[in-house]
Amino acid sequence: MGERWMAYSVHRKILDEGAVDDMAGKFESKTQTLSEKVKKSMRCSAPRLKSFLLHSIPLLSWLPRYPIREYAIGDLISGINVGIMQLPFGMAFALLASVPPIFGLYSCFYPVLIYFIFGTSKHLSIGAYAVVGVMIGGVADRLILNSDFMIWDNVTNSSIVDTMSRDAARIQVAAAVTFLSGVFQILFGLAQFGFLVTYLSEPLVRGYTTGTAFHIIVSQLKYTFGINHVRHSGPLSLIYTLVEVSYLILQTNIGTLVVSIVTIVCLVVAKELNACLSKKLPVPIPVELLAVIIGTVVSWQVNLEEKYGVDVVGLIPLGLRAPVFPDVSLFGQVIGDAFAVSVVGYGMVISIAQIFALKYGYKVDSNQELIALGLSNSFGGIFQCLSVSCSMSRTAIQESTGGKSQVAGALSAIVSLFIVLWIGALFKDLPKAVLAAIIYVTLQNVLKQFLDIPVLWRKNKLDAVIWVATFIFTLLLNPDLGLAAAIGFSMLTVIFRTQIPKYSLLGQVPGTDIYRPLEEYSQVRQVPGILIFRSSATLYFANAEMYQDALGKKSDIDIAKILSAKKKLKAKRKRIEKENAKRAKKNGVNMGPEHKDIAVIKLDVKPEPSYPQAIVLDLSPVNFLDTVGIKALQNIQRDYGEIGIEVVLAGCQTGVVDNLQTGGFFNDKMTKSSLFSTIHDAVLFCINHRGGVKGEGEEKGGSNLCSRLFCTFPNSRVALCCGRCWVMSLTFTLTFNLHQSLSVAIVLSLLALIYSTQHCSTVVLGRVAGTDCYRDVGLYTEKESLKKHLGSRREFLLQALVEEGVLVVYSPNQETSRGSSSPAGNPL
């Protein structure tokens, strides 16, 4: 094993950005016009058509290569197990959505088959998801009230609810929400908006699902206690419902309560037994199915409905329903709820899909997943299905019982079809309290997510705050508004982190070209006469002013005060000159050159001795610049230049240099010669240019280097964000009133910031010959062998560093994979 540290010396000239571009041979960026892009997208050929079909319908690509011997048995066993699980969960899902149980079973058939054709995940179990169910149920209860379906019962001489008519109306609402949510998902997929799920961070999702679990529990209390309360909607509806339940608690049906308690206890015990015997059992015991079967048999034998007034499922029709297009008149009333359902459903699908894709080493296309889920929901909405998503527990069972592909999902749909056609009617005596108990026990793992709070607090306090805030928003504002508020709060934390960065003055580590914050290292020394300033965040409109203020505080230079005093001196000088001219004219004296210096104030352009001779702005943390950030840099250079302090930039990424170029930063006075690849280049330039003293550890003609370089360059599309936001803000100002347009403009600015931080492309760096500078291989040179080498592994590439003959690849889990050397004599 060789030595860990290897010292080496690179002898070269001081390189600015322009010199590096010349040495590396940077290509001129070629921007396609809109017409060229349209022409390219409209071109059609046989290979391109085949690629489009295989991408749009993934079934065509993997089914012909399906390994029957290896996968068939596992998929068969897994499909039967998941199909059996769909029975209790589908019926409970329908209760959450406030529709008859049979519609939950329909949702386990049509959407699953559609996803089987268009989905890209091999392990997802598409079907009922409790959070989506309670969101649909909230919409149905809000729009379809019991009071609108009261009829007179001549037998009891009282008003009762016409449940058949009410349920039919609620089914129409649920179908409309399902269809619209699918349309949203399809549109997002076609627009390549799969990245939107990144707004749902893990703390946000876990806090949201925990808050939604309480809504689910409260929605099932009427089935647990056998009471009939009004289901409230809107903000604070959870509180109102709990208050009403507490008033009606004395009217509890004892028989229903006993069924609920016994079922919950038995399910909890059975679940624990299942966990203890998990290693000995080939497949888990289907405790939920057993609960449904036993509950149905006991209810039928004891006649719980008539003797004890226990509410049962009732008649379950056999067969499938004819397709009916959803009621278009309802779309306007449910469009907001459908949007929330589409986001929540897709967020859960892509999160679980990526977990299993990473585990088994295949790729999931986020945009195709949107389209697949959208087609499942829109097609399902026509057949009166409920909006589907994915359950972690059901997917884990599909995987643990041997499921290897979506064939298992298709087989589970066939089992569900068998239940709907021939078996469903047998469960008409099933107590609804049993289904509510199944829901409660299923949520126990979700409620354990409260343990996330202390863990997150130790690791990252801001993530813990996001978790708690999301939970509170969801609890108080309902799942739809709570999700919107949580996403908004999460975005604000991004702004908060970039608005309050850490500003540092850097010094040189003795004997190296490495620079570190002075306040954090005891052996770091400040370079005499040079101030090196760094911000830990990018530079944009929200923190540009704070960046300038922090530079003034760190340098102890009140630039505004100095410039104000200088302006006053200039004004005073002009005033004195005018007075002298008037006095000379009055006395008839001609002001010749020899009299020009009379009563004139001279302005000293030399800086104070305590001021630095030069300022180096380290922009290595900056990954994009907007127009406000560029203007801030221009102001800094102009203002400090007026008092004789030179300002240079260092560590600019290629995308930042492009932003400066397109933003008009460069001119006759300010060229790329003021931009340097490293801080050390900038320091050497300032020392030589100002005739200062060499920094400690600096050798003539070169520098000692011992470092590894990694960087992520921003996408070129980021430069368009500011212009687009400006145009859209102007459009909204002309269209809406001032208050509305201002709100929309602020939201657009925040979205542009998130977009800019998200759309960063990963690049491969290569060393510029004869230097220690590294640049993007794609922008500066052609390396077809490298592209071929990385072709099949592109999706796993996070960052890479290319040296002569060595490729170091970094995988998404931040762990360094093994380097692969090129053949001898054939360097990359």
Side-chain angles (χ1 to χ4, degrees):
M1 183 176 178
E3 294 183 3
R4 183 178 179 184
W5 303 110
M6 297 178 62
Y8 65 94
S9 178
V10 177
H11 297 275
R12 60 170 174 80
K13 297 179 180 179
I14 299 173
L15 296 176
D16 55 50
E17 198 66 34
V20 173
D21 288 350
D22 292 339
M23 292 181 65
K26 185 177 182 181
F27 296 124
E28 293 184 3
S29 58
K30 298 178 181 179
T31 304
Q32 288 184 331
T33 63
L34 180 60
S35 60
E36 291 175 344
K37 291 180 180 179
V38 172
K39 289 179 181 178
K40 185 177 180 180
S41 63
M42 296 299 290
R43 290 173 185 169
C44 185
S45 61
R48 186 168 185 177
L49 179 61
K50 179 182 177 181
S51 175
F52 173 77
L53 289 176
L54 294 178
H55 181 268
S56 302
I57 309 176
L59 178 72
L60 299 178
S61 63
W62 64 263
L63 189 59
R65 296 181 283 106
Y66 180 76
I68 298 178
R69 292 183 179 180
E70 292 84 356
Y71 286 7
I73 300 298
D75 284 340
L76 177 63
I77 296 174
S78 176
I80 294 174
N81 276 275
V82 174
I84 291 173
M85 282 187 63
Q86 296 280 28
L87 172 63
F89 283 111
M91 299 175 74
F93 180 50
L95 282 188
L96 290 173
S98 299
V99 297
I102 187 61
F103 293 93
L105 298 179
Y106 294 153
S107 305
C108 303
F109 174 63
Y110 292 108
V112 177
L113 286 181
I114 299 299
Y115 185 84
F116 166 71
I117 299 172
F118 295 98
T120 60
S121 175
K122 300 178 182 179
H123 296 86
L124 281 189
S125 176
I126 295 296
Y129 181 49
V131 176
V132 172
V134 77
M135 294 175 73
I136 295 175
V139 183
D141 289 340
R142 185 184 74 233
L143 298 180
I144 309 299
L145 303 175
N146 287 337
S147 57
D148 296 336
F149 296 90
M150 301 300 294
I151 58 174
W152 184 259
D153 186 8
N154 293 325
V155 177
T156 60
N157 288 326
S158 61
S159 296
I160 61 173
V161 179
D162 184 1
T163 54
M164 293 187 64
S165 300
R166 180 202 63 187
D167 290 345
R170 287 180 175 176
I171 291 166
Q172 289 185 348
V173 173
V177 173
T178 301
F179 180 81
L180 265 187
S181 67
V183 171
F184 276 124
Q185 288 164 343
I186 293 172
L187 293 177
F188 288 152
L190 294 175
Q192 305 292 297
F193 277 4
F195 70 91
L196 286 176
V197 74
T198 55
Y199 294 135
L200 305 177
S201 63
E202 184 178 357
L204 185 148
V205 171
R206 294 176 73 85
Y208 178 76
T209 52
T210 306
T212 310
F214 281 87
H215 285 276
I216 295 171
I217 292 172
V218 171
S219 70
Q220 299 303 296
L221 290 178
K222 63 181 180 180
Y223 302 116
T224 301
F225 293 101
I227 58 179
N228 190 14
H229 64 80
V230 177
R231 186 169 177 177
H232 299 273
S233 61
L236 301 179
S237 61
L238 185 75
I239 308 298
Y240 297 145
T241 303
L242 286 175
V243 170
E244 187 169 355
V245 168
S246 64
Y247 282 129
L248 298 175
I249 199 71
L250 297 177
Q251 302 177 16
T252 299
N253 183 295
I254 302 301
T256 303
L257 183 61
V258 170
V259 171
S260 300
I261 294 174
V262 171
T263 306
I264 292 173
V265 172
C266 293
L267 283 173
V268 171
V269 173
K271 286 274 188 181
E272 294 299 323
L273 185 64
N274 227 351
C276 294
L277 301 177
S278 59
K279 295 183 180 180
K280 299 180 180 179
L281 296 174
V283 294
I285 301 172
V287 293
E288 292 86 2
L289 179 64
L290 292 177
V292 169
I293 294 174
I294 295 173
T296 303
V297 172
V298 171
S299 175
W300 171 55
Q301 289 292 327
V302 180
N303 199 2
L304 293 177
E305 183 181 14
E306 294 185 4
K307 286 187 177 181
Y308 301 100
V310 177
D311 193 13
V312 298
V313 169
L315 182 65
I316 299 178
L318 294 177
L320 300 173
R321 294 173 66 93
V324 177
F325 194 82
D327 188 357
V328 180
S329 63
L330 293 172
F331 286 177
Q333 303 177 61
V334 301
I335 187 170
D337 303 283
F339 179 81
V341 168
S342 67
V343 173
V344 173
Y346 171 67
M348 187 55 60
V349 164
I350 196 63
S351 299
I352 298 177
Q354 288 175 343
I355 291 173
F356 284 92
L358 185 61
K359 181 178 180 180
Y360 288 96
Y362 63 89
K363 183 173 172 39
V364 173
D365 188 338
S366 59
N367 295 309
Q368 182 62 28
E369 285 295 298
L370 262 175
I371 295 174
L373 190 62
L375 289 172
S376 299
N377 285 325
S378 56
F379 190 81
I382 297 175
F383 285 88
Q384 288 83 56
C385 297
L386 304 176
S387 184
V388 296
S389 184
C390 177
S391 167
M392 185 64 184
S393 59
R394 198 170 57 245
T395 301
I397 290 176
Q398 178 172 315
E399 180 247 356
S400 63
T401 53
K404 297 291 193 301
S405 69
Q406 271 302 326
V407 171
L411 292 174
S412 72
I414 294 175
V415 174
S416 300
L417 177 63
F418 180 78
I419 294 172
V420 170
L421 293 179
W422 291 289
I423 300 179
L426 300 177
F427 298 99
K428 64 183 181 65
D429 292 318
L430 174 65
K432 292 182 178 180
V434 173
L435 296 176
I438 291 174
I439 293 173
Y440 294 149
V441 177
T442 304
L443 291 174
Q444 63 177 335
N445 290 328
V446 178
L447 296 178
K448 289 180 181 178
Q449 292 178 160
F450 276 112
L451 300 176
D452 293 348
I453 299 177
V455 176
L456 288 174
W457 186 259
R458 289 193 298 269
K459 293 182 177 179
N460 190 311
K461 290 181 172 57
L462 198 54
D463 282 345
V465 171
I466 291 175
W467 196 106
V468 174
T470 302
F471 172 76
I472 295 174
F473 287 145
T474 307
L475 209 62
L476 299 181
L477 301 179
N478 273 8
D480 48 359
L481 293 178
L483 178 64
I487 293 175
F489 181 80
S490 181
M491 288 184 178
L492 287 177
T493 61
V494 176
I495 310 298
F496 176 79
R497 296 184 196 195
T498 57
Q499 272 198 314
I500 310 180
K502 184 176 183 180
Y503 299 104
S504 306
L505 292 182
L506 305 184
Q508 185 184 27
V509 178
T512 72
D513 65 328
I514 300 172
Y515 293 81
R516 290 292 182 265
L518 292 168
E519 63 271 17
E520 296 180 11
Y521 295 86
S522 60
Q523 299 301 317
V524 171
R525 298 290 179 265
Q526 184 172 1
V527 180
I530 299 175
L531 186 141
I532 308 170
F533 180 74
R534 174 193 288 171
S535 169
S536 63
T538 194
L539 183 60
Y540 70 110
F541 65 90
N543 62 7
E545 185 175 353
M546 289 184 288
Y547 185 89
Q548 299 177 71
D549 295 340
L551 176 59
K553 291 179 181 179
K554 290 289 184 179
S555 62
D556 289 329
I557 300 175
D558 191 345
I559 191 68
K561 184 177 180 180
I562 294 174
L563 293 178
S564 176
K566 191 173 181 180
K567 288 180 180 179
K568 290 180 180 179
L569 288 176
K570 285 184 178 179
K572 187 174 181 180
R573 176 178 176 173
K574 289 182 179 180
R575 186 174 66 252
I576 293 175
E577 287 179 351
K578 288 182 180 180
E579 291 177 356
N580 290 339
K582 289 181 180 179
R583 191 179 297 111
K585 186 177 181 180
K586 184 178 180 180
N587 296 333
V589 178
N590 185 18
M591 295 288 291
E594 66 276 7
H595 298 97
K596 291 256 179 161
D597 58 346
I598 299 176
V600 172
I601 299 175
K602 295 184 178 180
L603 298 176
D604 189 5
V605 297
K606 295 182 179 180
E608 293 288 333
S610 60
Y611 292 168
Q613 296 177 347
I615 293 177
V616 177
L617 300 180
D618 178 19
L619 299 184
S620 56
V622 178
N623 59 358
F624 74 94
L625 282 171
D626 62 359
T627 53
V628 181
I630 294 173
K631 188 175 182 181
L633 293 177
Q634 290 175 327
N635 292 340
I636 291 173
Q637 189 188 38
R638 182 197 64 217
D639 294 344
Y640 286 89
E642 287 188 12
I643 61 174
I645 300 177
E646 186 172 12
V647 178
V648 296
L649 311 181
C652 296
Q653 301 176 22
T654 304
V656 174
V657 177
D658 293 339
N659 293 154
L660 292 171
Q661 185 81 44
T662 56
F665 180 78
F666 300 114
N667 50 43
D668 296 336
K669 296 182 179 179
M670 181 63 180
T671 63
K672 285 188 177 181
S673 61
S674 296
L675 270 67
F676 296 90
S677 300
T678 66
I679 298 176
H680 203 55
D681 281 304
V683 170
L684 293 177
F685 170 80
C686 294
I687 291 175
N688 295 335
H689 190 248
R690 289 289 184 177
V693 182
K694 285 188 178 182
E696 185 178 356
E698 175 58 32
E699 300 177 1
K700 184 177 181 181
S703 60
N704 293 323
L705 300 178
C706 184
S707 62
R708 304 175 86 182
L709 306 178
F710 313 101
C711 51
T712 303
F713 293 161
N715 193 297
S716 58
R717 289 178 293 176
V718 172
L720 300 176
C721 282
C722 295
R724 289 174 179 172
C725 285
W726 189 93
V727 174
M728 294 179 71
S729 299
L730 176 62
T731 304
F732 282 116
T733 304
L734 297 175
T735 306
F736 304 109
N737 60 45
L738 293 178
H739 300 293
Q740 292 174 337
S741 59
L742 179 60
S743 302
V744 173
I746 292 174
V747 172
L748 283 174
S749 298
L750 297 180
L751 289 177
L753 169 64
I754 304 296
Y755 179 89
S756 300
T757 56
Q758 275 191 326
H759 283 72
C760 294
S761 57
T762 303
V763 300
V764 178
L765 303 183
R767 184 162 63 91
V768 180
T771 73
D772 59 320
C773 299
Y774 292 79
R775 287 297 181 269
D776 182 2
V777 173
L779 292 179
Y780 289 85
T781 183
E782 290 289 343
K783 290 191 178 289
E784 295 298 332
S785 60
L786 175 66
K787 294 179 182 178
K788 293 178 182 177
H789 180 77
L790 296 177
S792 60
R793 304 172 62 185
R794 178 68 65 180
E795 63 271 16
F796 297 105
L797 181 66
L798 178 64
Q799 290 178 326
L801 171 68
V802 177
E803 300 241 5
E804 292 184 1
V806 178
L807 171 68
V808 183
V809 181
Y810 292 82
S811 56
N813 59 4
Q814 303 286 340
E815 296 177 358
T816 307
S817 62
R818 295 180 180 178
S820 58
S821 300
S822 62
N826 183 26
L828 296 177

